[in-house]
C-alpha cells in the first residue's frame, strides 16, 4: 500500500491527516473535515481532478465505518442471545446491512438509528437490550467517523497515484513512493 499512496511508510500519511482526524473525533462526523481533506491532499501532490471526484463519491457511498459497526453489533447480539441462523439468514442480514449502512451518513448518532432499522427489518434479533448499546454509542460514533474518514482519504490517495502511474508508465515505484 505504501508504494501506491506515495509514502515510504504508512505512518507518514496518517501523520499528515492527524489534525483532520482529531477534528473528526471531536465532532463525531467525518463530514466536518470534508473541505480540509482537499487542501491537505492537493498540497501533498495528489491530483486535484481525481480528488474532486473520488472524495465526494466516497462521502456518499464509502461508509465502511457504519457498515462494520452494524455488522459487528449484529454478530454480537446474535451471540449474546444465542440465536441460531442459517446461511440464508446471514446472506439476508448482509443485504440489509449493505443497504442500511448507507443511511448512516453525516449526522452524529445516525449509525445507531441505522442499527435499529437493521435489527427491526431483519426481525430475528430482539431490540430489548438496545439501551446497553446506546450507552457506548458516542464512542462508537467516533470510531465509525474516523474509519470513514481514513478510508475516504486512502481511497483518494490510491486512485490518484494509480492515475499518475497510468499516465506515466515509465515512472518507477521509487518516484511515486
Amino acid at each position: 500500500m505504501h508504494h501506491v499512496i506515495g509514502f515510504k511508510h504508512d505512518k507518514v500519511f496518517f501523520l499528515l491527516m492527524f489534525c483532520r482526524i482529531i477534528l473528526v473525533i471531536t465532532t463525531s462526523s467525518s463530514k466536518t473535515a470534508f473541505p480540509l481533506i482537499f487542501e491537505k491532499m492537493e498540497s501533498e501532490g495528489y491530483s486535484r481532478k481525481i480528488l474532486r471526484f473520488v472524495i465526494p463519491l466516497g462521502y456518499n457511498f464509502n461508509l465502511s465505518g457504519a457498515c462494520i459497526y452494524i455488522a459487528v453489533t449484529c454478530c454480537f447480539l446474535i451471540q449474546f442471545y444465542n440465536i441460531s441462523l442459517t446461511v440464508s439468514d446471514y446472506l439476508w442480514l448482509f443485504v440489509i446491512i449493505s443497504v442500511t449502512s448507507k443511511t448512516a451518513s453525516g449526522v452524529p448518532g445516525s449509525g445507531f438509528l441505522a442499527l435499529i432499522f437493521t435489527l427491526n427489518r431483519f426481525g430475528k434479533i430482539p431490540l430489548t437490550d438496545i439501551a446497553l448499546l446506546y450507552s457506548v454509542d458516542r464512542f462508537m460514533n467516533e470510531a465509525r467517523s474516523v474509519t470513514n474518514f481514513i478510508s475516504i482519504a486512502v481511497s483518494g490517495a490510491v486512485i490518484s497515484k494509480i492515475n499518475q502511474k497510468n499516465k506515466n508508465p515509465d515512472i518507477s515505484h521509487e518516484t511515486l513512493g
Side-chain angles (χ1 to χ4, degrees):
M1 181 169 90
H2 57 77
H3 287 295
V4 177
I5 292 178
F7 295 105
K8 299 285 184 208
H9 303 285
D10 298 335
K11 293 177 186 175
V12 174
F13 181 77
F14 296 110
L15 287 174
L16 290 172
M17 294 293 158
F18 182 74
C19 292
R20 284 115 195 116
I21 292 172
I22 295 299
L23 177 65
V24 168
I25 289 171
T26 56
T27 60
S28 293
S29 175
S30 60
K31 293 204 177 193
T32 55
F34 182 71
L36 301 174
I37 195 171
F38 288 118
E39 294 172 12
K40 188 62 179 173
M41 292 183 76
E42 286 172 9
S43 71
E44 294 299 322
Y46 294 102
S47 169
R48 175 184 172 98
K49 184 178 172 183
I50 297 295
L51 291 177
R52 298 286 171 167
F53 177 74
V54 171
I55 291 176
L57 196 64
Y59 270 103
N60 287 312
F61 297 109
N62 186 14
L63 302 172
S64 52
C67 192
I68 292 168
Y69 165 73
I70 294 170
V72 169
T73 304
C74 286
C75 289
F76 167 75
L77 291 172
I78 289 166
Q79 290 179 357
F80 182 76
Y81 289 113
N82 200 19
I83 299 170
S84 179
L85 297 178
T86 65
V87 173
S88 62
D89 289 334
Y90 280 109
L91 291 174
W92 176 237
L93 184 60
F94 172 75
V95 169
I96 293 171
I97 290 171
S98 297
V99 172
T100 58
S101 66
K102 303 306 177 217
T103 64
S105 119
V107 179
S110 60
F112 190 74
L113 295 175
L115 172 66
I116 292 172
F117 177 72
T118 301
L119 296 175
N120 192 26
R121 183 70 185 133
F122 185 60
K124 296 187 178 194
I125 302 172
L127 295 170
T128 53
D129 295 323
I130 202 77
L132 293 172
L133 297 174
Y134 188 70
S135 64
V136 296
D137 188 61
R138 170 70 178 168
F139 306 109
M140 296 306 298
N141 196 30
E142 292 169 359
R144 286 190 301 264
S145 299
V146 169
T147 303
N148 290 339
F149 177 77
I150 290 173
S151 67
I152 291 166
V154 168
S155 64
V158 167
I159 292 171
S160 178
K161 288 298 178 179
I162 289 173
N163 184 52
Q164 283 180 348
K165 183 179 176 188
N166 288 341
K167 282 184 178 179
N168 301 321
D170 296 333
I171 297 177
S172 67
H173 285 293
E174 287 76 28
T175 307
L176 288 178

